[in-house]
Coordinates of all heavy atoms in Angstrom, one line a residue:
G12 N 5.2 -14.9 -4.4 CA 4.9 -14.2 -3.1 C 3.7 -14.7 -2.4 O 2.6 -14.7 -2.9
G14 N 2.2 -13.2 0.2 CA 1.6 -12.2 1.0 C 0.1 -12.1 0.7 O -0.5 -13.0 0.1
T15 N -0.5 -11.0 1.0 CA -1.9 -10.8 0.9 C -2.3 -10.9 -0.6 O -3.3 -11.7 -1.0 CB -2.4 -9.4 1.4 OG1 -2.0 -9.4 2.8 CG2 -3.9 -9.3 1.3
S16 N -1.7 -10.2 -1.5 CA -2.1 -10.2 -2.9 C -1.9 -11.5 -3.5 O -2.8 -12.0 -4.3 CB -1.3 -9.1 -3.7 OG 0.1 -9.3 -3.6
E35 N 7.5 -18.9 -2.7 CA 7.8 -17.9 -1.7 C 9.2 -18.2 -1.2 O 9.7 -19.3 -1.0 CB 6.8 -18.2 -0.5 CG 7.1 -17.5 0.8 CD 7.3 -15.9 0.7 OE1 6.4 -15.3 0.1 OE2 8.3 -15.4 1.1
R36 N 10.0 -17.0 -1.1 CA 11.4 -17.1 -0.7 C 11.6 -17.5 0.7 O 12.6 -18.1 1.1 CB 12.1 -15.8 -1.0 CG 11.7 -14.7 -0.2 CD 12.4 -13.4 -0.5 NE 11.7 -12.3 0.2 CZ 11.9 -11.0 0.0 NH1 12.7 -10.7 -1.0 NH2 11.3 -10.1 0.7
I45 N 5.4 -10.3 8.0 CA 5.7 -9.2 7.1 C 5.6 -7.9 7.9 O 4.7 -7.7 8.7 CB 4.6 -9.3 5.9 CG1 5.1 -10.4 5.0 CG2 4.5 -7.9 5.2 CD1 4.1 -10.7 3.9
A46 N 6.6 -7.0 7.6 CA 6.6 -5.7 8.3 C 5.3 -4.9 8.0 O 4.9 -4.8 6.8 CB 7.8 -4.8 7.7
C47 N 4.6 -4.5 9.1 CA 3.3 -3.8 8.9 C 3.0 -3.1 10.1 O 3.5 -3.4 11.2 CB 2.3 -4.9 8.6 SG 0.7 -4.3 8.1
G48 N 2.1 -2.1 10.0 CA 1.6 -1.4 11.2 C 0.4 -2.1 11.8 O -0.1 -1.8 12.9
D49 N 0.0 -3.2 11.2 CA -1.1 -4.1 11.7 C -2.5 -3.5 11.7 O -3.4 -4.0 12.4 CB -0.7 -4.6 13.1 CG 0.6 -5.3 13.1 OD1 1.0 -5.8 12.1 OD2 1.2 -5.4 14.2
A50 N -2.7 -2.4 11.0 CA -4.0 -1.8 11.0 C -4.7 -2.2 9.7 O -4.2 -1.9 8.6 CB -3.9 -0.2 11.0
T124 N 12.0 -20.8 -1.9 CA 12.2 -20.7 -3.4 C 12.3 -19.3 -3.8 O 11.3 -18.6 -3.7 CB 11.1 -21.5 -4.1 OG1 10.9 -22.7 -3.5 CG2 11.4 -21.7 -5.6
V126 N 12.6 -16.5 -6.6 CA 12.5 -16.3 -8.0 C 13.5 -15.2 -8.4 O 13.7 -14.2 -7.8 CB 11.1 -15.8 -8.4 CG1 11.0 -15.4 -9.9 CG2 10.1 -17.0 -8.1
A159 N 3.4 -11.0 -7.3 CA 2.9 -10.6 -5.9 C 4.1 -10.5 -5.0 O 4.0 -10.7 -3.8 CB 1.8 -11.5 -5.4
A160 N 5.2 -10.1 -5.6 CA 6.5 -10.1 -4.8 C 6.8 -8.8 -4.0 O 7.9 -8.7 -3.5 CB 7.6 -10.4 -5.7
A189 N 10.2 2.1 5.9 CA 9.5 2.0 7.2 C 10.0 0.9 8.1 O 10.5 -0.1 7.6 CB 8.0 1.9 6.9
G288 N -0.9 -5.8 -5.8 CA -0.5 -5.3 -4.5 C 0.6 -4.3 -4.5 O 0.7 -3.5 -5.4
D289 N 1.6 -4.4 -3.6 CA 2.7 -3.5 -3.5 C 3.5 -3.5 -4.8 O 4.1 -2.5 -5.2 CB 3.6 -3.9 -2.4 CG 3.1 -3.4 -1.0 OD1 2.0 -2.9 -0.9 OD2 3.9 -3.4 0.0
G299 N -0.4 4.7 4.0 CA 0.4 3.6 3.9 C -0.3 2.3 4.0 O 0.2 1.2 4.1
G300 N -1.7 2.3 4.0 CA -2.5 1.1 4.2 C -2.6 0.4 2.8 O -3.0 1.0 1.8
G301 N -2.1 -0.9 2.8 CA -2.1 -1.6 1.5 C -2.7 -3.0 1.6 O -2.7 -3.6 0.5
I302 N -3.1 -3.4 2.7 CA -3.6 -4.8 2.8 C -4.9 -5.0 2.0 O -5.0 -5.9 1.2 CB -3.9 -5.2 4.3 CG1 -2.5 -5.2 5.1 CG2 -4.4 -6.6 4.4 CD1 -2.7 -5.5 6.6
Ligands
FAD501 C1 6.4 -0.9 8.1 C2 5.2 -1.1 7.3 C3 3.9 -0.8 7.9 C4 2.7 -1.0 7.2 N1 1.6 -0.8 7.8 C5 0.4 -1.1 7.2 C6 -0.8 -1.1 7.9 O1 -0.9 -0.7 9.1 N2 -2.0 -1.4 7.3 C7 -2.0 -1.8 6.0 O2 -3.1 -2.1 5.4 N3 -0.8 -1.8 5.3 C8 0.4 -1.5 5.9 N4 1.5 -1.6 5.2 C9 1.5 -2.0 3.8 C10 1.2 -3.5 3.6 O3 2.0 -4.2 4.5 C11 1.4 -3.9 2.2 O4 0.7 -3.0 1.3 C12 0.9 -5.3 1.9 O5 1.5 -6.3 2.8 C13 1.1 -5.7 0.5 O6 0.9 -7.1 0.3 P1 1.6 -7.8 -1.0 O7 1.0 -9.2 -1.0 O8 1.4 -7.0 -2.2 O9 3.1 -7.8 -0.6 P2 4.0 -8.5 0.6 O10 3.0 -8.6 1.8 O11 5.2 -7.6 0.7 O12 4.3 -9.9 0.1 C14 5.3 -10.2 -0.8 C15 5.8 -11.6 -0.6 O13 6.7 -11.9 -1.7 C16 7.8 -12.6 -1.3 N5 8.9 -12.4 -2.2 C17 9.5 -11.2 -2.6 N6 10.4 -11.4 -3.5 C18 10.4 -12.7 -3.8 C19 11.1 -13.5 -4.7 N7 12.0 -13.0 -5.5 N8 10.9 -14.9 -4.8 C20 9.9 -15.4 -4.0 N9 9.2 -14.7 -3.1 C21 9.4 -13.4 -3.0 C22 8.1 -12.0 0.1 O14 8.9 -12.8 0.9 C23 6.6 -11.8 0.6 O15 6.2 -12.9 1.3 C24 2.8 -1.4 5.8 C25 4.0 -1.7 5.2 C26 5.2 -1.5 5.9 C27 6.5 -1.8 5.2

Side-chain angles (χ1 to χ4, degrees):
T15 301
S16 57
E35 168 58 51
R36 66 181 171 195
I45 282 169
C47 191
D49 302 337
T124 310
V126 173
D289 280 12
I302 298 176

